[in-house]
Each structure stands twice: as C-alpha cells, then as structure tokens.
Amino acid sequence: MVTGPRRVALFVAYPHVYGGTERQVELLASGLQQRGWTVEILLPATGVAADRFRAAGLHVDVVEAPPSLLVYGRNTRRGRAVRATVALPAYWTRLRRRVAGAGLVHTFTQRGFLLAGPAARLARLPLVWHVGGRDPGRLLNQAAARTASAVIAVSRAAAEGLPTAREVEIVPNAVDPAAFAAPAPAPASAEGFHLACAARLTPEKGIDVLVRATALLRQDFPDLQVLVLGGTQAGHEAYGEELVRLAGDLGVDSAVCLKGFVDQPFRSWAGSRVYVQPSRREGFGLAVAEAMASGLPVVATAVGGLTDVLDGGRAGVLVAPDDPRALADGIKALLDDPARAERLAAAGRARAATEYTVDAMVDRVEAVYDRLLA
C-alpha cells in the first residue's frame, strides 16, 4: 500500500533542447497526471524545454543554476569543469529545499543525476535515476547507481553499463501516439526525399556515415535525396560544420538536406521510402520506434538498444556501425525490393503498437514509484 504522497518531481537537465528524453518526460508526466499523480517538472534554466512542457499543460518550475553548470558537451573542461564542481553543493542545497514535500524525485541522464540526485538524498527522498544510454563516465555511473533508490534503463544495452546498481528496471521508451496517425509513406514525397533520419548533430549519431553512404548510393540512384531532421547540439557545433564540408567534398551537398530541428519529426518524413539510423551509440532509438509506428521500413546500425527495438532484425535491417558501405548496402536492398520493405514496415508497426505504448511505459514506471513509496 502506498503511504507517501503521490507527488513526483521530474528533473530534466537540458533546458535548451527538446529531444527524445524531453519528449519522453512529457508523455510520462501527462500519463501520470491522468492517473492522479501530482507532477512537477524541474529545470535548471528557462528554454525550449520549459516552453514545450508548459504548452502541454504541465507544471514547470525553473530552479536557476549558475552559468558554470549550464555548459555542455566538450566545453565542460579544465577551468570550466572546476568552476562547475565548486558550484554544485550550493545548487544541491537550493534544489533540496525546492523538492521538500515531494514523494520522490526522478532524474534523467547522467547530468540529471549530477545536478539533482544528491539534492534528493539530502531531502531524504527516494531517488529514481533514469538511464537513456551507455554514457561515458564509469565512476559517475557507479556513484549514481549506488545512490539511487531505483534505476530505470530504457534498454538492456543501457543497463549493461550499470554493474553496481542494486536493481535495474528495463522500461522501453514510448512512441508518441500521434506517430501512428502520421501520414502514410508513399513511393515518393512532394519534396522527393527517399531516405529520412531524425537525430541531433553529434558524432555518436553517425550522420557523417550516412553522408558517405549517400555518396555510394548515388552511383545506383542518381536522384537520391536524403532528409536529416535534427539540430546542432550545444558543445558540438563543429560537427555540424564538418557535415556541411563533407557533403560538399563528396559532391552530395544537393542530395543531403540538413533541415535542423523539427517538432514531431514523424510528421516531416511522410513520403520517404526508408528510415535510416546510422548511430555509433544508441541507448534506445526513439526515432526508430516512431518510424516503425508511422509505417516506414528501417535500416539501423546494430548498436545498443537498436538491436532490441528492431527485434534482432525481424522488424528492420541491422548493419554494422561506422561502415558506409554496409549502410549503403542495407538501404539499397530495401530500395531494390519494395515487397520486402513493405513486410518489414508491417512488422515494425505491429511491434511498436504492442511494445512501445505510453500506457506500457507509465505502467512500469508507476510500479517502481509504488514500490518505493509503499
């Protein structure tokens, strides 16, 4: 029997982006509210994430972090890292006062634990740490796993990096229900895009591999057009510039459209023939699950959670990572065989409808909360 308040504080560490993690938080928070939970989303700064959460009717509170704690990616080094470390205790104290009265605190990603985990324990509240991928930083992962009252991982691959966790619950991400209602794929879109990919522009997402594969595919498909939906992430601006140079050097700058961030990317890839995920590292692969839900056949690298999402290759094509030729061959196989592409699309849609629903995700997370509050 639950004896604590059914009030949860969800801490989101990246206020300046609205990507896969933030979309999951919105779906989770909305689902919990519908089941009677009081949900507050806490952020370290204002930004697009706060705007989107509020637009969805969710309660948001910004516990402003000092500038030293709002530096991301490769920019957090040397003196900046020292300043961030020095600023943490004071921020934990402020956040501890803010979460007092909650039944529990739920943090997301390594950064989320670093900013909010100690504050939750200082407030003597149960702490849930939600892991979205096999992030580097073994010592931090060990500390977070030991500190958390419960650990949630989005896939078995994400859980493998947590050897010291007392217990890890596998809770796959959920597909936005709107993805199932997205316009159905057609032989070609009005804009002529054959391939689609949704990923932020960071090296781990492997968009450079897709650009190189595009150059190989243009030998067989001279009119091939590729749509990439995803913005440049803070701290990785140089990678976005590198992609533009690479496309120009390979002569495919007119074939690869780097459209930038778009909300609900599954609405923008309608009409594409194949969805491609060329990641070097992937904890789950939410965009792949959304592509499956929207009826697109998928070619993805066999890394991390992508292998599980595609059911070991039964719901899509898996290829070796960081290999432009393997990626090009996997894509060509589906472009050359529409019947096979259609079969895989149907298998993917069925899998998304049974494994990656919002109700399934909320059921599993709520079970963790109830156990901690009992």
Side-chain angles (χ1 to χ4, degrees):
M1 178 178 178
V2 174
T3 57
R6 288 172 64 87
R7 175 187 164 199
V8 58
L10 307 178
F11 187 87
V12 179
Y14 294 92
H16 60 294
V17 298
Y18 195 81
T21 297
E22 293 71 33
R23 282 156 53 207
Q24 290 301 298
V25 171
E26 180 182 327
L27 293 174
L28 175 62
S30 299
L32 289 169
Q33 283 190 166
Q34 291 171 10
R35 299 186 185 194
W37 289 81
T38 298
V39 182
E40 297 173 290
I41 300 177
L42 304 180
L43 294 145
T46 58
V48 63
D51 295 340
R52 286 300 311 273
F53 292 142
R54 290 186 177 118
L58 299 171
H59 183 271
V60 175
D61 191 11
V62 174
V63 183
E64 197 73 40
S68 59
L69 295 179
L70 299 174
V71 180
Y72 305 97
R74 296 176 181 175
N75 292 326
T76 313
R77 291 180 176 176
R78 300 186 179 88
R80 288 174 174 169
V82 172
R83 288 191 291 274
T85 302
V86 170
L88 277 170
Y91 188 68
W92 291 337
T93 300
R94 290 178 55 214
L95 198 57
R96 174 180 64 90
R97 292 194 293 266
R98 179 60 188 81
V99 300
L104 53 85
V105 176
H106 187 160
T107 67
F108 298 78
T109 70
Q110 276 189 332
R111 178 179 282 265
F113 166 78
L114 191 62
L115 293 181
R121 301 325 304 258
L122 287 170
R124 300 184 182 277
L125 294 174
L127 170 66
V128 179
W129 180 41
H130 207 125
V131 184
R134 297 186 65 177
D135 294 323
R138 181 175 177 83
L139 292 178
L140 180 56
N141 283 343
Q142 290 178 342
R146 290 194 183 105
T147 303
S149 309
V151 179
I152 293 175
V154 299
S155 66
R156 290 180 299 173
E160 287 173 0
L162 308 171
T164 60
R166 285 167 287 185
E167 184 177 358
V168 179
E169 297 286 343
I170 306 299
V171 180
N173 285 334
V175 169
D176 187 328
F180 290 96
S189 70
E191 294 180 292
F193 292 111
H194 301 80
L195 311 180
C197 174
R200 63 185 182 276
L201 303 186
T202 63
E204 70 179 37
K205 295 297 183 179
I207 304 303
D208 57 296
V209 182
L210 177 56
V211 172
R212 294 182 186 280
T214 300
L216 297 173
L217 286 164
R218 291 270 281 190
Q219 299 171 20
D220 295 302
F221 305 97
D223 62 342
L224 187 78
Q225 294 291 307
V226 181
L227 176 65
V228 178
L229 304 166
T232 301
Q233 184 170 315
H236 295 282
E237 292 82 1
Y239 182 71
E241 297 169 0
E242 177 190 331
L243 291 175
V244 173
R245 287 195 299 270
L246 179 63
D249 292 344
L250 296 176
V252 294
D253 48 328
S254 63
V256 178
C257 175
L258 300 173
K259 193 171 183 178
F261 171 80
V262 298
D263 187 28
Q264 294 184 311
F266 47 81
R267 297 190 186 280
S268 298
W269 64 48
S272 299
R273 294 175 60 186
V274 177
Y275 180 86
V276 184
Q277 194 73 47
S279 303
R280 293 183 170 95
R281 186 162 59 95
E282 195 73 62
F284 179 77
L286 178 60
V288 168
E290 290 177 339
M292 293 160 63
S294 61
L296 276 179
V298 174
V299 175
T301 47
V303 298
L306 294 177
T307 302
D308 283 349
V309 172
L310 290 179
D311 197 17
R314 286 177 286 275
V317 175
L318 290 167
V319 301
D322 214 359
D323 187 336
R325 171 53 67 185
L327 186 64
D329 288 346
I331 295 168
K332 183 176 185 300
L334 293 190
L335 293 178
D336 284 340
D337 191 347
R340 183 187 177 205
E342 186 175 344
R343 289 194 301 272
L344 288 174
R349 186 176 174 88
R351 182 167 175 78
T354 56
E355 299 293 327
Y356 307 127
T357 66
V358 175
D359 279 343
M361 176 181 69
V362 177
D363 282 345
R364 291 164 176 159
V365 171
E366 191 175 32
V368 174
Y369 290 178
D370 287 343
R371 185 174 69 251
L372 293 178
L373 294 176

